[in-house]
């Protein structure tokens, strides 16, 4: 289906349940880095906590029989908000408000679970069934999420900038620790 900085994405079918999935595989060159391996596994562990209809569902994660690390995610049909904005340039206010409120609902659950996404941007907001009357937004890519509960160890150093620079909150740029407000700034 595509490639990102950390993985290659394929469609797959769950042989047990028959449902379509997205299988994200960690790039082989990154599998040599203990930090990248841990970050990839943490993405599965953290996102699997969430059940909001506005967050991509993680069904499984771990190491496959071939030794490759994987995330098995729900299959979404639609497009990233970034692609939609490139195509349409602007969206009507009513549609924008509906999509943003849905994204905020997903963020609210993440924040209640002690997670800070840290990379909220149009490319990480997926519009399911784009253009349909029942279209909805789902948050995707928890690859650099921060766990404030302490269950998952933070992998970056204090003051290290993590995320997409043009969406970072001022406190992050100043080297202060991010929290839920940082995600809300990025959403704005």
């Amino acid at each position: 289906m595509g490639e990102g900085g950390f993985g290659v994405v394929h469609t797959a079918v769950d042989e047990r349940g028959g449902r379509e999935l997205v299988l994200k595989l960690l790039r082989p060159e990154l599998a040599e880095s203990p930090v990248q391996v841990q970050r990839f596994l943490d993405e599965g562990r953290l996102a699997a906590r969430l059940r909001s209809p506005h967050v991509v569902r993680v069904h499984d994660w771990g190491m496959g029989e071939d030794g490759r690390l994987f995330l098995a995610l729900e299959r979404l049909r639609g497009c990233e908000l970034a692609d939609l904005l490139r195509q349409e340039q602007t969206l009507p206010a009513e549609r924008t408000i509906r999509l943003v409120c849905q994204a905020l609902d997903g963020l609210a659950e993440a924040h209640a679970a002690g997670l800070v996404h840290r990379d909220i941007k149009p490319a990480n907001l997926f519009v399911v069934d784009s253009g349909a009357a029942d279209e909805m937004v789902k948050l995707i890519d928890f690859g650099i999420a921060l766990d404030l509960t302490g269950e998952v160890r933070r992998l970056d150093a204090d003051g290290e900038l993590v995320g997409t620079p043009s969406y970072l909150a001022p406190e992050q740029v100043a080297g202060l620790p991010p929290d839920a407000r940082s995600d809300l700034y990025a959403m704005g």
Side-chain angles (χ1 to χ4, degrees), residues 6-7 18 23 67 70 74 89 103 108 115 124 126 129 139 156 170 173 188:
F6 291 97
L23 195 62
F70 72 91
E74 79 176 293
Q89 301 296 309
L115 302 182
N124 286 335
F126 197 92
D129 296 329
L139 300 177
D156 45 276
V173 174

Side-chain angles (χ1 to χ4, degrees), residues 160-187:
E160 182 179 349
L161 288 180
V162 177
T164 303
S166 56
Y167 291 92
L168 292 177
E171 63 272 14
Q172 288 175 277
V173 174
L176 299 173
D179 60 27
R181 295 171 296 180
S182 307
D183 283 346
L184 295 177
Y185 178 89
M187 182 66 73

Side-chain angles (χ1 to χ4, degrees), residues 24 38-61 70-74 106 109-111 113-117 124 138-149 151-152:
K24 183 176 176 181
Q38 192 61 53
R39 196 178 293 278
F40 191 83
L41 293 173
D42 289 348
E43 178 179 1
R45 182 177 300 114
L46 295 174
R49 289 183 190 169
L50 308 175
R51 294 285 177 243
S52 168
H54 301 295
V55 176
V56 66
R57 180 71 48 104
V58 175
H59 295 291
D60 198 5
W61 71 96
F70 72 91
L71 296 174
L73 310 160
E74 79 176 293
E109 186 194 17
H111 295 158
L115 302 182
V116 179
H117 188 283
N124 286 335
K138 290 191 178 248
L139 300 177
I140 61 173
D141 197 353
F142 283 77
I144 59 172
L146 176 63
D147 178 21
L148 299 178
T149 70
E151 181 183 324
V152 174

Side-chain angles (χ1 to χ4, degrees), residues 50-90:
L50 308 175
R51 294 285 177 243
S52 168
H54 301 295
V55 176
V56 66
R57 180 71 48 104
V58 175
H59 295 291
D60 198 5
W61 71 96
M63 183 178 290
E65 292 176 10
D66 64 356
R68 293 187 70 185
L69 296 174
F70 72 91
L71 296 174
L73 310 160
E74 79 176 293
R75 170 81 155 95
L76 303 177
R77 298 193 187 285
C79 64
E80 293 172 358
L81 180 59
D83 293 333
L84 181 63
L85 290 172
R86 267 192 293 281
Q87 293 168 5
E88 299 194 20
Q89 301 296 309
T90 59

